[in-house]
Amino acid sequence: MKIGNKSFDINKTHIMGILNVTPDSFSDGGRWNTVDGALHCAERMINDGAAIIDIGGESTRPNYTPISDDEEIRRTAPIIEAIKKAFDVPVSIDTYKSAVAHAALHSGADMINDIWGLKYDKKIADEAKRSDAAICLVHNRKKSVYNDFLDDVLSDLRSSINIATKHGIALEKIITDPGIGFAKTYKENLIITNNLDKLHELGCPILYGASRKSMIGNALDLPVDQRLEGTIALSVLACMKGAMFVRVHDVKENYRAVKMIETIIRQ
């Protein structure tokens, strides 16, 4: 799979580093929302093993406050441009808004990470097609009511894939994400994680992102700043279930754990 000018082996697990340029992210809000700070963070993540950087300008934590398109663009576009000038690394924009995606792609982003799987703003699909960008379709829904949880998640993701392909996006440009923490209870997050390999039925690579999320906090009864070991455990599990990407804050530790597991699996 090609993202930007990089080719990714879909049979390996790659690390996506999280770079939030927001003042209110649940985990690291305000730490990297200057160009210099973001460049320092990006350089560290690349050196630690990140194969792609995911940049977000609006927090999507529970009960988050939405911001305007212009504000999100103001936060993300200059940082995307700076990172692309400084480093040879693919960049993803974490947004569900077509105007923000347009600005990000114009600034050099190579991928769109849409937490609404094209169901909030279908124009994002046109932006991806126009730029030949990869797109990650995250499972989400407005009402967390399910008839058959696993089947409903797969059905929802199939619907997102259909939207993408109808807009001309090639299947080899699409990644799916089960959406840990989005419209799911603690138990449902555990179920979809344990059945992550079922997403292979959709015919697209899988991205798994649970870094520092409440599922870990609930399982281990730990605050956000003490969820590293739980995140590593989930990254290892995702690797064993065939995820192409794990999206994490702590790149070095997760990279080493995944590399060890892959060494065993692929020996």
Side-chain angles (χ1 to χ4, degrees):
M1 182 178 198
K2 194 165 186 182
I3 303 175
N5 64 355
K6 300 290 184 180
S7 293
F8 289 85
D9 185 346
I10 64 172
N11 296 309
K12 291 186 66 176
T13 301
H14 309 273
I15 304 297
M16 171 181 276
I18 300 170
L19 178 49
N20 289 318
V21 292
T22 63
D24 58 344
S25 173
F26 84 97
S27 178
D28 52 3
R31 294 187 66 190
W32 316 116
N33 56 348
T34 66
V35 170
D36 286 346
L39 285 172
H40 175 75
C41 180
E43 182 176 30
R44 175 174 53 78
M45 288 195 292
I46 293 165
N47 290 337
D48 286 345
I52 185 168
I53 307 294
D54 190 45
I55 297 175
E58 178 181 85
S59 175
T60 53
R61 73 192 192 286
N63 302 313
Y64 71 96
T65 301
I67 60 174
S68 69
D69 292 2
D70 288 344
E71 174 62 17
E72 194 172 344
I73 291 167
R74 185 193 68 77
R75 292 178 183 180
T76 57
I79 286 173
I80 292 169
E81 188 171 349
I83 289 174
K84 292 299 293 186
K85 283 182 178 179
F87 308 109
D88 182 22
V89 65
V91 167
S92 168
I93 177 67
D94 182 359
T95 190
Y96 53 91
K97 304 168 186 174
S98 59
V100 178
H102 176 84
L105 294 168
H106 184 72
S107 298
D110 308 288
M111 175 172 156
I112 301 167
N113 185 12
D114 181 359
I115 66 163
W116 282 102
L118 298 177
K119 293 178 181 178
Y120 179 90
D121 183 350
K122 294 179 183 179
K123 292 179 182 177
I124 282 189
D126 295 323
E127 297 296 339
K129 170 63 177 174
R130 188 178 299 115
S131 299
D132 197 31
I135 189 162
C136 181
L137 305 174
V138 183
H139 178 265
N140 204 346
R141 52 165 58 185
K142 291 181 179 179
K143 293 184 179 180
S144 53
V145 179
Y146 302 92
N147 293 318
D148 183 305
F149 175 66
L150 286 174
D151 284 348
D152 288 354
V153 169
L154 291 174
S155 178
D156 290 349
L157 284 170
R158 284 192 190 95
S159 175
S160 290
I161 292 169
N162 288 337
I163 294 170
T165 56
K166 285 179 180 177
H167 282 256
I169 298 174
L171 200 61
E172 56 264 29
K173 287 288 185 178
I174 299 172
I175 299 166
T176 58
D177 180 331
I180 300 301
F182 296 112
K184 297 171 186 68
T185 65
Y186 167 58
K187 182 178 179 181
E188 288 164 348
N189 285 319
L190 295 176
I191 291 169
I192 195 64
T193 296
N194 196 34
N195 290 274
L196 184 65
D197 48 339
K198 288 188 178 295
L199 269 67
H200 290 298
E201 297 174 17
L202 301 171
C204 299
I206 300 167
L207 185 151
Y208 182 79
S211 182
R212 302 181 185 173
K213 287 187 177 181
S214 63
M215 179 176 73
I216 301 168
N218 290 333
L220 303 179
D221 192 23
L222 291 173
V224 169
D225 62 352
Q226 295 181 39
R227 298 175 184 173
L228 172 59
E229 297 89 348
T231 300
I232 292 170
L234 292 173
S235 293
V236 166
L237 182 65
C239 174
M240 294 176 73
K241 289 183 175 290
M244 179 181 171
F245 287 104
V246 288
R247 181 180 179 272
V248 298
H249 297 85
D250 304 289
V251 169
K252 177 173 65 178
E253 295 85 350
N254 284 276
Y255 172 81
R256 290 176 177 177
V258 165
K259 185 175 181 181
M260 187 69 245
I261 290 296
E262 288 201 312
T263 300
I264 296 168
I265 292 172
R266 307 183 200 291
Q267 57 83 27

